[in-house]
Amino acid sequence: MNLTPKQLKILNRIRETRLTRGYSPTMQELADELGVSKVTVFEHVEALIKKGALKRQANKARSLEVSPDLDLPDETSNTKLPLVGSIAAGSPIDAIEDREHLDLAEIFAPPRGTVGGNTFVLKVRGDSMIDEHIRDGDFVICEKRNAARNGETVVALLDTGEATLKKLYREKDGRIRLQPANDKYEPRYCQPEEVQIQGTCIGVVRTY
């Protein structure tokens, strides 16, 4: 299907608004978004309907919907990751899940591709991992896993309900050592049943 850049923007805007709000934007909202007149948007919308890219219910406001058969250029790109809370990089803190998202597209332009559904983001609080170049305020991108190799940086959930970001090591006596990457902090030793691995750190995002 031959679509103009403005038509693609209109389709993306309609799709995003329906996903986030549950309804379509108005013609005026689309005009404001594109910086054009309402008449121009109306002409584009009518053209998209004729091409089969858009559907609209007669006599119903906010009913524009992208055709389910249409694959937009960025259809397979998913840069929004669930921000599930804060993670301690000092003393452990209560692990609380927040219903928010971190959109990587708002921080930098990632290469086109799909971010897996087993990936989540945590915001770091504390400086115990600074020697691993993980600072207070950074966002760590983690892969959901319940096991890790020695030396991997993990999201560890303690039996107290606290969560912490540390490097994991298995001691010869069977204990788990959660090792900070800062000489100011002492390692924490746990029995295997006292700690659950929630994921491993696979990347860090930092804003300035």
Side-chain angles (χ1 to χ4, degrees):
M1 187 178 295
N2 187 20
L3 301 173
T4 69
K6 277 191 170 58
Q7 288 174 350
L8 283 172
K9 286 183 179 180
I10 288 172
L11 290 171
N12 278 313
R13 179 60 175 167
I14 291 171
R15 184 184 62 183
E16 290 168 5
T17 304
R18 289 186 68 87
L19 286 172
T20 57
R21 300 181 187 175
Y23 53 82
S24 301
T26 64
M27 295 290 189
Q28 188 59 60
E29 288 171 342
L30 288 171
D32 294 341
E33 178 80 13
L34 297 176
V36 298
S37 68
K38 186 176 177 180
V39 173
T40 300
V41 169
F42 182 81
E43 292 173 349
H44 282 306
V45 167
E46 288 300 314
L48 287 167
I49 292 174
K50 289 180 181 179
K51 291 179 179 180
L54 272 180
K55 294 183 177 182
R56 179 174 57 193
Q57 297 182 37
N59 303 318
K60 185 175 181 181
R62 295 183 180 273
S63 64
L64 290 172
E65 184 178 0
V66 178
S67 172
D69 298 327
L70 181 67
D71 291 326
L72 294 178
D74 63 343
E75 189 73 19
T76 59
S77 179
N78 179 12
T79 61
K80 186 173 286 188
L81 302 176
L83 177 58
V84 298
S86 297
I87 185 72
S91 299
I93 59 171
D94 291 338
I96 301 175
E97 183 169 342
D98 296 325
R99 298 184 180 275
E100 298 181 282
H101 288 81
L102 173 69
D103 192 345
L104 299 185
E106 295 179 357
I107 299 176
F108 58 87
R112 188 176 298 278
T114 301
V115 180
N118 289 328
T119 310
F120 61 93
V121 178
L122 291 166
K123 187 174 183 179
V124 175
R125 288 173 53 186
D127 62 353
S128 73
M129 297 300 291
I130 57 173
D131 289 344
E132 286 292 311
H133 307 288
I134 302 174
R135 303 178 184 175
D136 182 53
D138 286 352
F139 295 98
V140 287
I141 302 173
C142 304
E143 180 184 1
K144 287 183 181 179
R145 284 168 51 189
N146 56 16
R149 296 184 293 272
N150 278 349
E152 287 191 304
T153 299
V154 302
V155 177
L157 180 65
L158 307 180
D159 61 354
T160 59
E162 302 164 323
T164 190
L165 185 72
K166 296 289 184 292
K167 293 182 76 68
L168 178 142
Y169 294 94
R170 292 175 178 82
E171 300 292 294
K172 292 182 179 180
D173 60 7
R175 292 184 301 169
I176 299 293
R177 170 163 53 96
L178 298 176
Q179 180 68 45
N182 186 334
D183 291 339
K184 294 193 305 182
Y185 296 91
E186 295 293 328
R188 181 161 184 164
Y189 294 89
C190 307
Q191 296 298 327
E193 64 272 15
E194 296 175 339
V195 59
Q196 296 180 24
I197 306 305
Q198 302 290 294
T200 58
C201 178
I202 60 174
V204 180
V205 175
R206 180 176 304 148
T207 57
Y208 296 93

